[in-house]
Amino acid sequence: MTRLLIIGPPGAGKGTQSAKLAEAFKIPAISTGDIFRENVKNETELGQQAKAFMDRGEYVPDSLTNDLVRDRLAWADAAAGFLLDGYPRTADQVEELDRILTDQGESLDAVVLLIADTDEVVRRLLNRAIEQGRTDDTEDVIRHRLDIYADQTAPLIEVFSNRQLVVEVDGLGAVQEVTARILEALASRGIEA
Ligand code: ADP
């Protein structure tokens, strides 16, 4: 049973690495960004509420995001562990996740921190804009997302660091190399796939 978070700036490769880690640990990768995008695509009420924030590169309000995650973590597949990608991103979300886990008598095993510098993430996100056509991948919106990350999410690293949960990994290099680095760093803390 493994419960992980993956955290890092937009474009650090969280989504890509999450898929690899989920496969290795046989746990669901739960991406709040993917869930929001799916809801936008299907024009659900949640999607309609989230879209304007996402298009501006802003965070969807905590109340919506917290409800979504509480609901998703109650699914049967998450009983065997999970990897949360893109949540928590605010102090309020950290508190909510703590409450959810405490209610279930659970705790986190590690927080994978993917490191990538600003030039590299902007380059990757602009590429992704061409490949996937995401409406939040224009240069202005990307810069705004990076600012919000620095302002609201980067400070959370210290919270998890104080809990001795952070496993820092360099996100530069080939996908496989980065995956291998993460698996090795987790294994060295006794968290084996
Ligand atoms: P990235 O990490 O590249 O910014 P994501 O796919 O994780 O992309 O998220 C895309 C957008 O979805 C965010 O910019 C935000 O609007 C919304 N979102 C995702 N996760 C959260 C969250 N935990 N809290 C608030 N908004 C979120």
Side-chain angles (χ1 to χ4, degrees):
M1 214 145 358
T2 314
R3 296 186 190 87
L4 303 171
L5 306 184
I6 188 161
I7 190 165
K14 299 186 298 290
T16 306
Q17 295 303 327
S18 291
K20 304 284 179 198
L21 296 175
E23 199 183 320
F25 283 96
K26 300 183 175 57
I27 53 178
I30 301 172
S31 155
T32 44
D34 283 352
I35 297 173
F36 283 133
R37 271 188 293 281
E38 192 64 24
N39 277 276
V40 170
K41 201 177 85 194
N42 295 329
E43 297 177 347
T44 66
E45 197 183 326
L46 177 65
Q48 282 165 8
Q49 289 168 317
K51 187 177 187 325
F53 296 101
M54 297 175 74
D55 285 349
R56 286 198 299 266
E58 275 157 28
Y59 287 168
V60 176
D62 287 330
S63 54
L64 293 178
T65 311
N66 285 337
D67 285 354
L68 175 145
V69 171
R70 184 177 274 276
D71 179 74
R72 181 61 186 83
L73 289 180
W75 291 19
D77 66 344
F82 56 78
L83 168 60
L84 273 174
D85 160 15
Y87 183 94
R89 282 192 209 213
T90 65
D92 190 75
Q93 294 178 15
V94 172
E95 281 178 31
E96 178 68 6
L97 180 61
D98 284 345
R99 272 193 298 270
I100 295 171
L101 294 177
T102 306
D103 287 352
Q104 302 182 347
E106 295 168 353
S107 59
L108 293 173
D109 295 299
V111 175
V112 176
L113 172 61
L114 259 193
I115 307 285
D117 70 38
T118 307
D119 287 348
E120 172 67 11
V121 301
V122 171
R123 201 183 56 75
R124 288 183 186 180
L125 291 169
L126 288 172
N127 258 326
R128 187 171 74 184
I130 298 164
E131 286 160 11
Q132 298 178 9
R134 260 176 61 168
T135 49
D136 60 349
D137 278 344
T138 60
E139 182 139 14
D140 282 354
V141 176
I142 289 169
R143 300 262 173 215
H144 190 49
R145 280 157 62 207
L146 287 168
D147 286 346
I148 293 185
Y149 174 83
D151 187 46
Q152 302 214 33
T153 305
L156 308 180
I157 295 162
E158 202 189 325
V159 174
F160 292 117
S161 209
N162 291 336
R163 299 182 191 178
Q164 262 89 48
L165 286 174
V166 175
V167 176
E168 193 174 314
V169 178
D170 179 3
L172 290 191
V175 170
Q176 284 176 23
E177 279 169 35
V178 177
T179 308
R181 259 178 234 150
I182 298 174
L183 290 173
E184 196 186 351
L186 289 172
S188 74
R189 295 173 57 110
I191 303 168
E192 310 258 5

